[in-house]
Amino acid sequence: MAEAIIRASIAKGTLSADQISVSDINEARLQLLKAKYSVNTESSQEQGLSAAELIVIAVRPQDDLNALGQIVQQFASPTATVVSIVAGVTIEKLGGYFGTERPITRVIPNTLTDTGYGYSGVALNAYVIRDQVEDFLLGFGKVQYLEESYIDIFTGFGVAGPNYIYYFIESFVDAGVLAGLPREQAWKVALENMMGAVMMLQQTGLHPRQLLDINNSPGGVGMHGLYELNNSDFAAGLQRSVLAAVKRTTELGVKE
């Protein structure tokens, strides 16, 4: 995810490569990032942290955050904002590692960074000035600011959201092939229908049920298809999937 943020930020121009310093215990990973994006991987942690206005923490929750926090508190300015994308670690816990009075931004990044679409969920502590982090956050997508209590729900619904869309499109294309269309044609039709339907919702401001009513005549083709879809438990299955993802997110936070 850190690489995706670097790639999107540089591509969008919100950051230049010479503004980004990266530290990692994996030397091969550092060399790869330097070769691909020309970011600074040679400065010491002391040099990088002392100059940083934003410190992005992109490690696993099981990694040694306590040791990392000690390094940040030793070398970084107390006004430098920590931006954490560490799954399951709350702002309160982050404050224990990086300083209770340090500006801390907890971000659940979307996985659509290269497209400019998708919301990242963001929770701020009381010391963050939004203007200091917003340009950076908008460099890899859109932003929804949340109460931290909603972060797990946002993760299971919003961040996992593309999974449900990908799976639907795959299944829809397979349905077209099953009915007799060549796969290439079915693929193009599925994508065009998906994008067009989203545009209709945005442009008209109508509820999906209103557009369903407009799109289906009594006893027509569409209504027969929807009848079978309703019988398939599609809606409840999707809702169970979101609830399962939210539950798993909560479990990971407890394990941390």
Side-chain angles (χ1 to χ4, degrees), residues 73-87:
Q73 292 201 61
Q74 182 178 359
F75 297 120
S77 165
T79 61
T81 301
V82 162
V83 179
S84 170
I85 65 170
V86 185

Side-chain angles (χ1 to χ4, degrees), residues 182-205:
R183 183 166 294 275
E184 183 178 357
Q185 284 184 289
W187 175 252
K188 290 179 179 179
V189 169
L191 290 183
E192 195 72 12
N193 279 342
M194 176 66 71
M195 292 186 289
V198 170
M199 289 301 297
M200 282 291 290
L201 288 166
Q202 291 178 331
Q203 289 178 5
T204 65

Side-chain angles (χ1 to χ4, degrees), residues 134-181:
E134 190 160 87
D135 285 347
F136 168 70
L137 297 173
L138 291 173
F140 50 93
K142 299 178 175 67
V143 175
Q144 283 198 1
Y145 292 97
L146 309 166
E147 294 293 330
E148 193 177 17
S149 59
Y150 292 126
I151 285 288
D152 288 351
I153 300 171
F154 183 89
T155 304
F157 174 68
V159 175
N163 288 346
Y164 314 128
I165 305 301
Y166 297 147
Y167 190 75
F168 168 77
I169 291 175
E170 178 189 38
S171 301
F172 187 38
V173 171
D174 284 347
V177 176
L178 177 65
L181 277 180

Side-chain angles (χ1 to χ4, degrees), residues 102 112 122 125 150 193 224 248:
R102 177 179 296 281
L112 303 172
V122 179
N125 74 357
Y150 292 126
N193 279 342
H224 276 75
R248 181 57 179 161

Side-chain angles (χ1 to χ4, degrees), residues 10-209:
I10 292 175
K12 194 170 181 179
T14 53
L15 288 174
S16 59
D18 60 7
Q19 291 178 292
I20 302 172
S21 178
V22 182
S23 178
D24 197 296
I25 59 173
N26 186 336
E27 182 61 30
R29 183 69 176 155
L30 289 177
Q31 293 304 314
L32 175 66
L33 292 173
K34 182 177 181 179
K36 289 179 71 174
Y37 307 107
S38 300
V39 295
N40 177 14
T41 61
E42 297 176 355
S43 296
S44 66
Q45 285 186 331
E46 177 179 356
Q47 292 172 319
L49 289 171
S50 63
E53 296 179 9
L54 297 177
I55 304 166
V56 180
I57 308 298
V59 299
R60 301 171 302 174
Q62 64 266 35
D63 289 336
D64 193 349
L65 283 166
N66 185 55
L68 186 55
Q70 290 177 5
I71 295 170
V72 169
Q73 292 201 61
Q74 182 178 359
F75 297 120
S77 165
T79 61
T81 301
V82 162
V83 179
S84 170
I85 65 170
V86 185
V89 183
T90 64
I91 287 176
E92 181 180 5
K93 290 179 181 178
L94 291 166
Y97 296 129
F98 299 102
T100 55
E101 296 185 0
R102 177 179 296 281
I104 295 175
T105 300
R106 185 180 173 197
V107 183
I108 306 300
N110 73 79
T111 59
L112 303 172
T113 52
D114 295 317
T115 69
Y117 289 95
Y119 285 104
S120 293
V122 179
L124 312 173
N125 74 357
Y127 301 98
V128 176
I129 299 173
R130 185 183 294 191
D131 289 347
Q132 293 178 341
V133 297
E134 190 160 87
D135 285 347
F136 168 70
L137 297 173
L138 291 173
F140 50 93
K142 299 178 175 67
V143 175
Q144 283 198 1
Y145 292 97
L146 309 166
E147 294 293 330
E148 193 177 17
S149 59
Y150 292 126
I151 285 288
D152 288 351
I153 300 171
F154 183 89
T155 304
F157 174 68
V159 175
N163 288 346
Y164 314 128
I165 305 301
Y166 297 147
Y167 190 75
F168 168 77
I169 291 175
E170 178 189 38
S171 301
F172 187 38
V173 171
D174 284 347
V177 176
L178 177 65
L181 277 180
R183 183 166 294 275
E184 183 178 357
Q185 284 184 289
W187 175 252
K188 290 179 179 179
V189 169
L191 290 183
E192 195 72 12
N193 279 342
M194 176 66 71
M195 292 186 289
V198 170
M199 289 301 297
M200 282 291 290
L201 288 166
Q202 291 178 331
Q203 289 178 5
T204 65
L206 295 175
H207 189 278
R209 176 53 59 184

